[in-house]
């Protein structure tokens, strides 16, 4: 079955370049397993910050450790410096994330179920879940980070709204029992652009476009 990650699907949706769209799908079918993902070391301090009491020293200490560590390859050192930059950018926008109304952040599952649309398995994998209660009713949201320095690979606001829409769709299928998905708490965070985007109230057009993109992926998949 065809497969794609949520951020890459959003990137495909906002790209008007046919060659780029094909490359995105091809890279999803034939991932380079020898390439180590960047920014892996950003997740733990951010999760500790958001699931705890928002103590900035947690993130600042991680930044210092990453900058002071000069061991390993040039790639590893460069990744640590870029990760430290990402953590610094995160602190600049942290106060934009929901807080103060009983929101509780919880680290997302490392291997959650996929969201299937038109023959494509979409890997949503929220970085954090956000639970809260209002007027006796339990709600839940989900947050996904986008760590890319290159502005050419930014999601743009439109792409981020696709991500948020898919987070909300995923929660509609996979929310814990008794919880209602909150569109306002389905968030895409582009760390280096300093943007926090929530799911739009009206998703009909975006769902139609997402479905069409998945149909394109499913049709192209066997030919790659």
């Amino acid at each position: 079955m065809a497969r794609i990650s949520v951020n890459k699907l959003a990137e495909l949706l906002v790209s008007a370049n046919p060659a780029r769209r094909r490359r995105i799908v091809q890279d999803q079918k034939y991932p380079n397993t020898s390439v180590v993902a960047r920014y892996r070391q950003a997740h733990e301090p951010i999760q500790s910050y958001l699931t705890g009491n928002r103590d900035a020293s947690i993130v600042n200490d991680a930044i210092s450790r990453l900058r002071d560590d000069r061991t390993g390859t040039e790639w590893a050192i460069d990744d640590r410096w870029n990760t430290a930059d990402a953590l610094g950018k995160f602190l600049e926008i942290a106060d934009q994330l929901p807080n103060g109304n009983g929101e509780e952040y919880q680290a997302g599952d490392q291997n959650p179920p996929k969201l299937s649309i038109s023959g494509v398995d979409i890997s949503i994998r929220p970085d954090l879940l956000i639970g809260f209660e209002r007027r006796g009713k339990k709600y839940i949201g989900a947050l996904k980070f986008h760590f890319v320095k290159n502005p050419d690979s930014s999601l743009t606001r439109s792409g981020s709204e696709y991500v948020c829409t898919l987070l909300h769709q995923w929660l509609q299928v996979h929310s814990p029992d008794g919880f209602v998905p909150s569109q306002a708490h389905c968030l895409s965070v582009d760390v280096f652009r300093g943007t926090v985007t929530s799911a739009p109230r009206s998703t009909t057009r975006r769902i139609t476009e997402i479905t069409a993109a998945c149909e394109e992926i499913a049709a192209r998949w066997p030919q790659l």
Side-chain angles (χ1 to χ4, degrees), residues 148-166:
V148 175
K149 259 190 172 180
N150 182 357
D152 293 337
S153 298
S154 67
L155 289 179
T156 72
R157 180 172 180 82
S158 180
S160 295
E161 287 181 346
Y162 284 123
V163 172
C164 297
T165 298
L166 285 161

Side-chain angles (χ1 to χ4, degrees), residues 21-30 217 219-224:
R21 292 165 71 92
R22 179 184 176 85
R23 170 56 63 184
I24 289 170
V25 178
Q26 187 167 341
D27 288 347
Q28 293 295 293
K29 185 169 184 177
Y30 303 108
I217 294 167
R220 176 170 284 173
W221 197 263
Q223 303 167 14
L224 294 173

Side-chain angles (χ1 to χ4, degrees), residues 44-45 48-49 53-63 65:
E44 194 279 328
S48 295
Y49 172 88
N53 61 358
R54 297 204 175 203
D55 181 357
S57 68
I58 295 171
V59 179
N60 284 322
D61 287 348
I63 292 172
R65 288 195 303 272

Side-chain angles (χ1 to χ4, degrees), residues 20 47 89 91 109 118 127 137 139 158 161 169 191:
R20 177 57 186 152
Q47 288 177 352
K89 290 290 187 182
L91 282 180
D109 191 343
S118 296
D127 292 303
K137 199 170 186 177
Y139 293 90
S158 180
E161 287 181 346
Q169 288 293 112
V191 174

Side-chain angles (χ1 to χ4, degrees), residues 118-164:
S118 296
V120 178
D121 274 349
I122 306 167
S123 175
I124 304 295
R125 206 171 78 173
D127 292 303
L128 290 137
L129 299 176
I130 309 169
F132 63 101
E133 187 171 333
R134 193 160 295 165
R135 296 172 185 167
K137 199 170 186 177
K138 293 181 178 179
Y139 293 90
I140 192 164
L143 185 155
K144 187 77 177 176
F145 288 107
H146 188 58
F147 294 102
V148 175
K149 259 190 172 180
N150 182 357
D152 293 337
S153 298
S154 67
L155 289 179
T156 72
R157 180 172 180 82
S158 180
S160 295
E161 287 181 346
Y162 284 123
V163 172
C164 297

Side-chain angles (χ1 to χ4, degrees), residues 193-212:
R193 255 55 61 189
T195 60
V196 178
T197 306
S198 60
R201 290 189 178 184
S202 177
T203 60
T204 303
R205 176 180 60 81
R206 290 173 182 82
I207 292 297
T208 299
E209 292 167 349
I210 288 167
T211 301

